[in-house]
Amino acid sequence: MTSTYLLYQSYAANLPKTLARIGAQSDVSNAAKYYQDNIGKVSSVDDFLNNPRLFSYAMTAYGLSDFNYAKAFMKKVLTSDLSDSSSFVNHLTDPRFLTFAKAYQFSTEGTIATQPVVVQNSSDEDDTVDAYTQTQVNKGTAASTEATYYQANIGNITSVDQLMSNPRLLNFAVSAYGLNPDLVSKTTIRAVLTSDLSDPNSTANTLNNSNYKLLAGAFNFNTDGSVNGTAQSAAKTTTTVYQYYNATGTSATPAAAAYKTQYYKAGIAGITSVDDLLANSTLMDVALNAFDLNPNLQSQTLLRQVLTSDLSDPNSVANQQSNAAFKKLAAAFNFNSDGSVNGSAQTTDQTNSVVNLYSTGYDDAQQTANDTATTAYKNAVGSVSTINDLLNTTAYNYILSAYGFDSSTMSKYTLTKILESDPDDQKSFVNQSHNAAYIKLASDFNFDSKGNAKTASVAQTNTNLSATVTQYLLNNGGVAASGATETQQQTMAQTEGTYYATTMGTITNVDDFLKNSRLVKFALDAYDLKSANLSTDDLRQILTSDPTDPKSYINKPENSKYRALDVAFNFGTDGKTLDVPATIVQDRSQLITTTDGYVEQTMETQAGNQSDGARLALYFLKKASSITSPYQILGDKALLQFTQTALGLSSYMSAADIDVQATMITKKLNISDLQDPTKVNKLIAQFSALYDVNNSDVASTSAVLQILQGNSSSSNGIITIDPITVPVSF
C-alpha cells in the first residue's frame, strides 16, 4: 500500500506540472472552455443556476459540489450584500460560501451588478486641472511676449497701411479693445482706424459696438491713413498694453503685474491732483488691488471722497467706512481736501509700500477664481455620465481653457466628436486630425463612441487591490526592521498599505507601475516574491502575460510562481490598463481564479480517489498560507479534519465551546508557522504519518513512520517533529 505522504508527494513535489497535466486532460479542458465561452452570457443569477454545466463547474471550483442540489440556498449566497455584515452569506461559518459569493458580481436583486462609470479617473482629472493652470501661465507668457513686441515696434508705424500689414501689431491692438481679429474684416478695421471721431457718421461712430470707438481713439491716423504726429502716444500705448492684458484674461499674471508695477512707479510721480489719479485706470488698478479693493466695484465719487479725507477727522469719509481698507488707501496718498497734492502724490516709501502690497496679492482674486472654477469642474465631472451633460455644465469653458481652445472657433459638435474618439484607434477622429490637443483631450476622458461614460480602466480591480493590501499586511509587508517592535512593523505596513491603495488608482499602464519602486516592492512583498530577483523586464513580461492564454509566459509550469502576481493586475498584453466591463458576472481575475480552482479541485478529487488523506493534505497545502486564525480552521470541515489528525486531537472536541476548541488548536499549533513553507511541509508529513496510523494496522504503517526519522525521534509513545509535539497511541 502506498503511504499517504508518498502519494501526496507524487502530486505536490512538482505542483505546477501536476496542475498543467490535469488541466490538459480532455474532460477538464473541455469543461473550462465551455465555462469561459458561456459565463459572459449570463445575465442573472437564475441564468447561472439554471445552467447545470456552468453552475456545477463553479461549485466544483470552490469545493462546494456537495451543495449542487441546494440552488435556493446558493441563490441567497450569491445575492447577499457583501458589504452588509448582517447579510446571509456573512452569517455562514463556512468561509467557502463567502469566497464563492465574492467570485461573482450579482446584485441583491439577482441581476448582474452594474459597475460605476467614471468620466475621468483621478490621474486624468489632475491632468486637466494641471493643463488649466498651465494654460493660465502660458497665456501670461504669450501676452508678455506680444506686449514687449508691441511696445518696441508701434513707434515705427507711419501709416495705417503699415499697421495693417503687420498682423502681430494689428491683432494686438484689435484684441486689446475687446474685438476678435479673426472675426472682423480688415476692411472694417481700416475704416475704423481712419475714422474721424468728431464725425457722427464715421465708421467707428456708426458701428453698433463702442469698442470700435475705443480702438479708433487709441491711434492718431488721419482719414487718408497718414499719421498725425505718431501712430500712438506713449500714454495710449500704455493704455493699449494695459487693455490687452485685461482683454486676454492675463491681467493677474506675473508678466502683467511686473508691467503694471513698473508703470506705476513711473506714472505716480506725474500725478498732481486726485482727479489725475482717478483718470488713470492703470494706476488706480494697482492702488486698489494693493488694498484688496475690486476696481470694478468702486464708485469714482466714493474714491475721491476717501482719497481727500482728513484722517485726523473721525467723521471723514475714510474713517466712516466699515471696510478699513479705505482708510489704508487714503493713508497711502497725500491729497488735500480740495484734491490738490500736498508735496507729492506719494513719497518713495508710500509708492514702494503700494507696489509691495500689489505684488504680494495681485493674483489673490484670480487664484480664488481659479480654485472656484476647479471645484466647480470637479463637481461637474463627478455628477455627469454623458458628454452632452458634461458640455452643458461649467466644465465646458474649463475644458476649452485647459486644452487651449477658443469658444468662438471650437463648436460643441467638434468637442463631442473629440470626446467620443478612441485615442488608441488610428482611424478615429482625433488621430485622423493629427491634432495633439485633440488626442490629449480624448485620452483624458473616458467616453465611448456613443457619448456615454465608461467604467474605468484600472490597474487593479477593487477586489484585487484589497486582496493585495490584505496579503501584504498579513506578511507585515516584509518591512520588519532590525530592532523594530511588532507594533512598529504593523504601523510601517499600514503606512505602506495606505500609500499603495491610494497610488494604484493613478496607474494607467505597466510602465507607470514599474517606475514606482515603492509600489513594485509592495506587490512583490505581498505575493512573496521579494527574493525572486526579478528585473524590470521580467516583471513587464509577467504583468503583460495573458492568463487566459494557455501558451502565454505566465502559463508555463516553470513560471507558475508568478501567476498570482499577474492575475492580481489588470494590464493587457500592450501594457495598458484594461477596461472593467460595466456588466459582467466575473471579471478577468475572478474567471481565472475559478478555472484555476476547478483544476485544483480536480487534482484533489483524483488524489482522493486513491487516498482521502492525500486529498486532505493537498487541500491543506492550498489553504495554509491564508489561515490567520484557529476559527478559520474550525469553520472548514476539511481543514478541521486535517488539523485534528495532525495534532492528535479527538474529533469529539467539536462538542466543546468554540473558544475552547480554538485554544486546543493554538496550544499545539503556532498559526503564524503556516506562513513558513518548510513548517507547513513538516506538518503535512506529520499528518500523513498519523493518518496512516489511524487508518491502517501498525505493521503496514511502520515503514511510513520511517519517512520522518530524519528529523524525528520516539520516546514513551511521543513522536516529536520540530517544532510540534504530538501524543500518539500505538
Side-chain angles (χ1 to χ4, degrees):
M1 172 182 167
T2 303
S3 73
T4 296
Y5 189 72
L6 290 177
L7 183 58
Y8 160 79
Q9 282 285 58
S10 72
Y11 286 92
N14 194 332
L15 194 57
K17 284 190 175 181
T18 299
L19 292 171
R21 172 177 58 79
I22 292 174
Q25 293 172 1
S26 60
D27 58 334
V28 177
S29 61
N30 287 339
K33 186 177 188 309
Y34 179 85
Y35 185 85
Q36 291 170 345
D37 289 346
N38 290 278
I39 190 63
K41 300 175 184 177
V42 169
S43 60
S44 69
V45 71
D46 291 324
D47 279 354
F48 181 56
L49 295 171
N50 291 328
N51 186 320
R53 291 182 68 180
L54 290 179
F55 181 60
S56 64
Y57 184 96
M59 295 291 280
T60 298
Y62 292 93
L64 294 169
S65 55
D66 289 347
F67 291 85
N68 279 349
Y69 71 91
K71 289 186 178 180
F73 177 88
M74 295 309 298
K75 182 174 182 178
K76 294 181 71 174
V77 168
L78 289 167
T79 57
S80 291
D81 182 354
L82 301 182
S83 64
D84 181 0
S85 59
S86 63
S87 66
F88 179 77
V89 74
N90 283 321
H91 274 181
L92 299 176
T93 57
D94 190 331
R96 292 177 299 169
F97 294 110
L98 181 58
T99 301
F100 187 72
K102 287 180 177 179
Y104 294 88
Q105 299 185 43
F106 292 111
S107 69
T108 54
E109 291 79 25
T111 58
I112 296 176
T114 301
Q115 302 302 311
V117 296
V118 180
V119 170
Q120 279 190 309
N121 62 32
S122 59
S123 178
D124 289 336
E125 184 177 79
D126 288 344
D127 282 350
T128 301
V129 172
D130 289 345
Y132 181 84
T133 302
Q134 188 59 47
T135 295
Q136 309 304 310
V137 175
N138 293 345
K139 284 172 63 177
T141 301
S144 175
T145 299
E146 293 306 298
T148 300
Y149 177 83
Y150 186 84
Q151 292 173 91
N153 291 278
I154 193 63
N156 299 325
I157 297 299
T158 59
S159 70
V160 72
D161 291 323
Q162 188 180 3
L163 176 62
M164 298 295 296
S165 66
N166 187 320
R168 286 185 71 179
L169 293 179
L170 182 65
N171 289 347
F172 187 96
V174 172
S175 298
Y177 292 94
L179 301 168
N180 189 331
D182 295 326
L183 301 180
V184 182
S185 71
K186 285 190 174 183
T187 301
T188 299
I189 293 174
R190 191 185 191 285
V192 167
L193 290 170
T194 56
S195 290
D196 179 358
L197 293 180
S198 64
D199 178 3
N201 295 318
S202 66
T203 301
N205 284 322
T206 56
L207 289 172
N208 191 26
N209 187 333
S210 61
N211 288 339
Y212 288 110
K213 289 178 65 175
L214 294 175
L215 175 62
F219 291 89
N220 302 315
F221 293 116
N222 296 313
T223 55
D224 62 359
S226 61
V227 168
N228 183 10
T230 59
Q232 261 191 335
S233 66
K236 289 181 178 179
T237 297
T238 298
T239 300
T240 300
V241 172
Y242 171 76
Q243 293 291 358
Y244 181 82
Y245 279 123
N246 289 338
T248 55
T250 56
S251 62
T253 61
Y259 171 80
K260 290 180 181 180
T261 54
Q262 181 181 9
Y263 174 82
Y264 187 88
K265 288 180 178 180
I268 197 66
I271 296 300
T272 60
S273 70
V274 71
D275 293 318
D276 282 350
L277 177 63
L278 293 171
N280 191 315
S281 59
T282 305
L283 295 180
M284 284 304 298
D285 181 283
V286 173
L288 291 173
N289 276 294
F291 295 99
D292 292 327
L293 295 168
N294 189 329
N296 297 321
L297 302 179
Q298 312 308 322
S299 76
Q300 291 282 85
T301 300
L302 176 62
L303 288 175
R304 193 181 196 287
Q305 291 173 337
V306 166
L307 289 167
T308 57
S309 289
D310 179 358
L311 294 180
S312 64
D313 178 4
N315 295 317
S316 66
V317 173
N319 284 324
Q320 289 296 309
Q321 299 303 306
S322 58
N323 187 343
F326 287 105
K327 183 176 178 180
K328 293 177 182 178
L329 175 66
F333 292 88
N334 303 311
F335 293 114
N336 296 314
S337 58
D338 62 358
S340 62
V341 168
N342 183 9
S344 61
Q346 281 187 322
T347 64
T348 301
D349 287 344
Q350 287 174 318
T351 298
N352 289 338
S353 177
V354 168
V355 168
N356 289 337
L357 286 171
Y358 177 80
S359 298
T360 301
Y362 71 89
D363 62 346
D364 286 353
Q366 184 63 55
Q367 188 58 56
T368 299
N370 287 347
D371 291 344
T372 300
T374 296
T375 298
Y377 171 77
K378 290 182 176 181
N379 290 338
V381 166
S383 65
V384 301
S385 58
T386 68
I387 294 174
N388 184 59
D389 289 344
L390 179 68
L391 299 186
N392 283 308
T393 67
T394 55
Y396 172 64
N397 288 325
Y398 194 94
I399 291 169
L400 290 179
S401 178
Y403 295 90
F405 301 134
D406 187 337
S407 60
S408 64
T409 56
M410 170 62 74
S411 67
K412 286 189 177 181
Y413 172 80
T414 302
L415 202 55
T416 299
K417 292 273 288 181
I418 294 170
L419 292 169
E420 287 177 346
S421 290
D422 180 357
D424 294 324
D425 180 1
Q426 292 305 309
K427 295 182 179 179
S428 67
F429 173 76
V430 293
N431 284 316
Q432 290 294 308
S433 73
H434 302 291
N435 186 315
Y438 285 13
I439 296 171
K440 176 60 177 169
L441 175 59
S443 300
D444 282 345
F445 285 83
N446 193 43
F447 293 106
D448 62 21
S449 60
K450 295 181 179 179
N452 297 313
K454 302 185 296 183
T455 55
S457 298
V458 293
Q460 281 191 302
T461 63
N462 289 337
T463 300
N464 284 327
L465 179 63
S466 177
T468 301
V469 172
T470 299
Q471 190 60 40
Y472 180 90
L473 296 176
L474 181 64
N475 297 338
N476 264 344
V479 298
S482 177
T485 66
E486 182 178 352
T487 300
Q488 289 171 332
Q489 293 175 29
Q490 291 174 350
T491 300
M492 294 164 68
Q494 288 284 357
T495 299
E496 291 304 296
T498 300
Y499 174 80
Y500 183 86
T502 302
T503 309
M504 279 304 299
T506 68
I507 299 300
T508 59
N509 59 67
V510 73
D511 289 320
D512 283 349
F513 175 73
L514 295 175
K515 288 174 186 175
N516 190 319
S517 59
R518 192 172 173 185
L519 293 180
V520 171
K521 182 180 183 302
F522 187 99
L524 293 179
D525 286 351
Y527 291 96
D528 201 22
L529 293 170
K530 57 189 174 185
S531 60
N533 296 320
L534 295 170
S535 67
T536 297
D537 288 340
D538 291 334
L539 285 169
R540 184 180 290 104
Q541 190 168 18
I542 291 167
L543 293 170
T544 59
S545 183
D546 183 357
T548 65
D549 179 2
K551 297 180 180 179
S552 68
Y553 175 82
I554 204 67
N555 283 325
K556 295 178 181 178
E558 62 269 25
N559 298 323
S560 63
K561 57 183 170 292
Y562 311 130
R563 186 174 171 81
L565 178 67
D566 179 41
V567 173
F569 288 84
N570 196 41
F571 296 116
T573 54
D574 60 358
K576 296 179 180 179
T577 53
L578 298 173
D579 289 338
V580 177
T583 54
I584 191 168
V585 71
Q586 283 189 309
D587 62 35
R588 186 177 74 161
S589 65
Q590 291 169 327
L591 176 62
I592 296 301
T593 299
T594 302
T595 54
D596 284 355
Y598 184 87
V599 174
E600 291 170 355
Q601 287 292 329
T602 301
M603 176 188 69
E604 292 170 21
T605 298
Q606 291 180 4
N609 290 337
Q610 299 171 273
S611 166
D612 199 47
R615 178 186 65 80
L616 289 170
L618 288 168
Y619 181 74
F620 182 80
L621 177 67
K622 177 175 68 177
K623 293 289 187 178
S625 64
S626 66
I627 297 173
T628 59
S629 163
Y631 296 100
Q632 289 175 261
I633 295 172
L634 292 169
D636 188 313
K637 182 179 178 181
L639 288 179
L640 179 59
Q641 185 179 350
F642 175 95
T643 303
Q644 288 173 336
T645 301
L647 302 183
L649 296 169
S650 170
S651 61
Y652 292 110
M653 66 178 279
S654 298
D657 180 83
I658 189 71
D659 294 330
V660 173
Q661 295 181 58
T663 301
M664 293 171 71
I665 291 173
T666 54
K667 278 185 177 180
K668 290 177 174 285
L669 175 65
N670 185 345
I671 298 296
S672 64
D673 285 347
L674 300 182
Q675 304 305 314
D676 185 334
T678 300
K679 293 179 179 179
V680 168
N681 192 52
K682 286 183 178 181
L683 187 59
I684 290 173
Q686 183 169 316
F687 161 82
S688 301
L690 297 180
Y691 181 87
D692 287 345
V693 168
N694 293 337
N695 292 279
S696 304
D697 59 65
V698 175
S700 66
T701 61
S702 59
V704 176
L705 296 177
Q706 299 305 310
I707 296 171
L708 305 175
Q709 286 181 345
N711 58 359
S712 67
S713 60
S714 62
S715 175
N716 299 322
I718 301 290
I719 293 178
T720 303
I721 302 175
D722 209 13
I724 305 167
T725 301
V726 183
V728 180
S729 299
F730 289 97

